[in-house]
Amino acid sequence: PAVRLPATDYRPKAGDVFLMSDTNRFWTLLYRLALTGRPGHAGIVVTLPDGRLGVLEAGYNGTLWTRLLPPESKLHVYPGTLWVRERLVPLTPEQDARLTAFAVAAANKRYATGKFVRQITQLTPRGPLRTSHYGRPIGSNGRYTCGEIILEALIDAGLIDGRTTR
């Protein structure tokens, strides 16, 4: 929760990633069971079809839904710590359009509860042997966990390589 200087004004732009750490006791317990440390959550800023900005999140506010809402829904009300990973290079119009299309298609789908639960079992895709067989991108028609939806959106927009992303 320490402030990282220099502090600057933040103006959201498409492709920025929100990284969040929750202090909720329930999530803290689940993440400890999964041996992953502090609870984490993520969202990605996208341009909405009407030109406004939105944040795409799987598991919005601890629910079982993927939502696409204004950035202010996180920036001013998130109860934990929030960091922003800003894009250094703006998206091209084509990348922006592809990111928007992915977000609109993914919005209002159910959260990938089964994948989340597997994280605390031996069936988790994490680990050096399992990573080569599991944890691959699933494309734009699936259910996602919060971290997974960020990677899938970036792959779909052509910003990262799906062959090497886990």
Side-chain angles (χ1 to χ4, degrees):
V3 174
R4 298 197 181 187
L5 298 174
T8 60
D9 286 336
Y10 172 63
R11 299 192 193 288
K13 58 191 171 303
D16 290 351
V17 174
F18 287 6
L19 301 168
M20 300 163 253
S21 182
D22 199 339
T23 56
N24 178 291
R25 288 181 185 180
F26 173 75
W27 294 115
T28 299
L29 174 63
L30 284 182
Y31 276 74
R32 283 190 180 147
L33 288 173
L35 305 174
T36 61
R38 291 186 69 184
H41 186 61
I44 187 166
V45 179
V46 301
T47 304
L48 300 174
D50 64 7
R52 293 178 300 128
L53 293 176
V55 175
L56 179 65
E57 290 180 70
Y60 169 76
N61 278 2
T63 68
L64 298 177
W65 292 97
T66 297
R67 295 289 189 234
L68 185 53
L69 298 168
E72 295 77 23
S73 67
K74 286 295 166 203
L75 289 173
H76 302 297
V77 297
Y78 187 70
T81 304
L82 185 143
W83 298 270
V84 178
R85 174 63 168 90
E86 293 186 77
R87 283 201 55 81
L88 295 178
V89 178
L91 300 179
T92 66
E94 179 185 341
Q95 292 168 332
D96 194 24
R98 289 172 64 180
L99 186 60
T100 298
F102 178 90
V104 168
N108 299 316
K109 287 187 177 178
R110 298 276 297 175
Y111 182 78
T113 308
K115 290 179 190 177
F116 180 80
V117 170
R118 280 194 301 270
Q119 295 295 319
I120 61 173
T121 72
Q122 292 301 309
L123 300 175
T124 180
R126 293 181 288 122
L129 297 176
R130 294 181 186 109
T131 299
S132 61
H133 301 291
Y134 302 106
R136 295 184 186 277
I138 60 171
S140 60
N141 293 321
R143 291 183 179 183
Y144 308 101
T145 62
C146 62
E148 186 179 39
I149 202 166
I150 305 303
L151 297 174
E152 293 286 353
L154 293 170
I155 291 167
D156 203 72
L159 296 165
I160 59 176
D161 187 350
R163 293 172 299 175
T164 58
T165 301
R166 301 290 179 268

